[in-house]
Amino acid sequence: MLLSPAFDINQSLSGMDSPNMRTASSLAMAVIGLMLPATGVLAAPGPAGHGHGGATAALLGEPAPRGQGRPVAIVMTDFAYSLKTVTVKAGETIRFMISNKGTVLHEFNINTEAEHAEHRPMMAMMMEHGMITPDRVISLTMTMPDGRKMTHTEPNSVLVEPGKSAEISWKFTTAGELQIGCNIPGHTEGGMVASLKVTPR
C-alpha cells in the first residue's frame, strides 16, 4: 500500500524462528544500538495487531486518498527528519512525500506521544521475529504463536527502505499537536522525532 513495492508482503517467514535467525536478529539490534549516540536506548501492541493506529479523533483527522493534498516533502536520514516541525491548518489535507536517504530502514508515523511510546516495543518485536531487519522489510504481517496477527498496515504509518520513497495523505480536521516518529528500536532515542502542529482554521 503506502510502502515502496520492493518486497512481497506475503513472503513466507518460515525458518525465521530458528536459533540462527534469533541470533541474527539479536545481533542486528545490537548493531543499531552501536550506531546511535550514547543516549540511545531502545524501547507494543493492541490486543490483536500492531495497535498504533489510534482513533482518528486522537490523530486530529483521517486518511485522504493517495496523492491528494498540499505537498510536504520530508527526507529521512540516520537518524533525523529533514523538518523538525510541520505546521498545518485544520481543514487542510497534506500529502507527505517521504524519502529515505539513510542507510537503514526508517518509519514515518503520525501519532500521539503516548501511542508512539506504546508502539516502540511492538517494533522491537517485529525485528525480533524477523518481520523487519535493520535495512529492509521482510513482511508487513505475521501470525504470532498465540494465533494473533501482527501487522504494520495502518494508514498513518509507513516503513521506508533505504533509497526508497512513500506517501501518506492525511486530512487534518481538528487543531492540536502530534508527533512524527520513527519507532524502530533506538531511532527515536537517537533523535528521530518531529513536531506536527495543527492550527485552528
Side-chain angles (χ1 to χ4, degrees), residues 66-144:
R66 180 180 172 86
Q68 285 193 3
R70 172 170 65 88
V72 172
I74 296 185
V75 176
M76 301 189 292
T77 56
D78 308 332
F79 295 87
Y81 296 107
S82 57
L83 300 178
K84 295 305 291 181
T85 302
V86 177
T87 303
V88 304
K89 289 185 177 181
E92 192 173 18
T93 298
I94 300 298
R95 178 188 180 193
F96 293 101
M97 303 172 68
I98 310 145
S99 58
N100 184 353
K101 301 298 185 185
T103 60
V104 296
L105 180 69
H106 288 302
E107 180 189 36
F108 181 93
N109 187 323
I110 302 168
N111 226 317
T112 64
E113 185 175 359
E115 284 287 336
H116 280 303
E118 289 187 15
H119 180 41
R120 282 192 285 276
M122 180 57 79
M123 293 296 289
M125 188 181 299
M126 287 179 66
M127 184 166 283
E128 180 183 347
H129 287 274
M131 289 178 69
I132 60 174
T133 71
D135 64 352
R136 67 187 291 254
V137 175
I138 304 301
S139 177
L140 292 178
T141 64
M142 74 173 287
T143 302
M144 302 298 289

Side-chain angles (χ1 to χ4, degrees), residues 3 16 18 96-97 116 154 183 185 188:
L3 199 63
M16 285 294 179
S18 68
F96 293 101
M97 303 172 68
H116 280 303
E154 302 290 347
N183 295 297
T188 297

